[in-house]
Amino acid sequence: MIDQRRHQRIRFSMPPVVTIGYGGVVGSGEIENLSLSGLMMRTDLPLVVGRTAGCEFSVFGSPVIDVPAVVVSRVGNLYGARFQTGPINQILIEDAIGSALTSGKASILSVHELGGKKVMRIVGGLVGALRNDFMHSLTRVGVDEIDLSGVTAVEQAGLALCLAAVNRHGVAIGAQSDVFGGAWALAQAMPGGNSPESASVS
């Protein structure tokens, strides 16, 4: 499951709210993840695959983005939708994603083959919200090294994931941003910082 998506999905530590207009009804939901081409959202509105809904949202203070989107998938109350957007909205979405990553309020986790090694790369926040993707990559895909050069904010839960990767799975910590490097040095210096017990991610 090496990530080859054209548009990478970003996840949020706190899901932004989305207002949804559908079939003459206005409802709301939460954005699970976002890319330049679409989003995944949770809502109680009964959306139908193949139909179009209006989506209006702001990402942590970004200008309001108002874009129609075609519903392409559904699992329970989780819907995938593909944007039908023009160049202006595309720029707004790109800027909103960039600002959220820079502030550490959003994250991208991807796995790449580099020089015969599988490298997990995290950009933006190293946060607990990455846990499912992180553990899936670690246990199902296999990871040799973690590239943290793009990390802009660190949560304790994110450090615990990295400790688990190093102590339980023998993964190497590769390139580091200054933000991650400082937090990692503190985590390593704490009593038991290198022990498997300190790497609990449950």
Side-chain angles (χ1 to χ4, degrees):
M1 194 201 90
I2 306 295
D3 201 331
Q4 300 289 359
R5 289 190 191 90
R6 188 163 145 262
H7 293 142
Q8 291 180 311
R9 297 180 302 172
I10 69 165
R11 294 195 177 279
F12 302 98
S13 47
M14 292 287 294
V17 172
V18 57
T19 300
I20 305 159
Y22 180 76
V25 177
V26 176
S28 65
E30 291 187 337
I31 299 175
E32 288 277 308
N33 61 59
L34 174 69
S35 76
L36 290 176
S37 57
L39 52 72
M40 294 284 283
M41 58 186 172
R42 288 193 186 277
T43 180
D44 291 330
L45 282 176
L47 307 180
V48 175
V49 172
R51 299 276 302 276
T52 300
C55 297
E56 185 180 285
F57 58 93
S58 170
V59 179
F60 307 114
S62 76
V64 173
I65 297 160
D66 188 355
V67 59
V70 177
V71 180
V72 293
S73 66
R74 176 187 178 184
V75 179
N77 69 345
L78 180 66
Y79 296 88
R82 187 182 307 112
F83 294 141
Q84 296 180 307
T85 185
I88 299 297
N89 270 335
Q90 200 73 18
I91 291 167
L92 289 176
I93 294 166
E94 194 167 358
D95 287 349
I97 287 173
S99 294
L101 289 170
T102 300
S103 69
K105 293 176 181 174
S107 315
I108 295 174
L109 184 153
S110 55
V111 179
H112 310 272
E113 289 268 11
L114 288 173
K117 292 190 299 188
K118 286 181 184 168
V119 178
M120 179 195 297
R121 182 153 199 264
I122 297 173
V123 176
L126 177 63
V127 297
L130 290 174
R131 184 186 188 284
N132 289 345
D133 287 347
F134 191 103
M135 295 308 293
H136 175 85
S137 297
L138 211 55
T139 58
R140 300 295 172 88
V141 179
V143 173
D144 300 303
E145 185 178 298
I146 306 175
D147 176 350
L148 298 137
S149 59
V151 168
T152 55
V154 179
E155 286 182 359
Q156 204 63 37
L159 287 175
L161 290 170
C162 288
L163 284 168
V166 170
N167 294 334
R168 294 183 187 169
H169 299 275
V171 175
I173 297 294
Q176 305 173 30
S177 68
D178 290 343
V179 171
F180 173 80
W184 185 243
L186 284 175
Q188 299 282 77
M190 288 175 67
N194 278 311
S195 70
E197 291 75 24
S198 69
S200 171
V201 291
S202 58

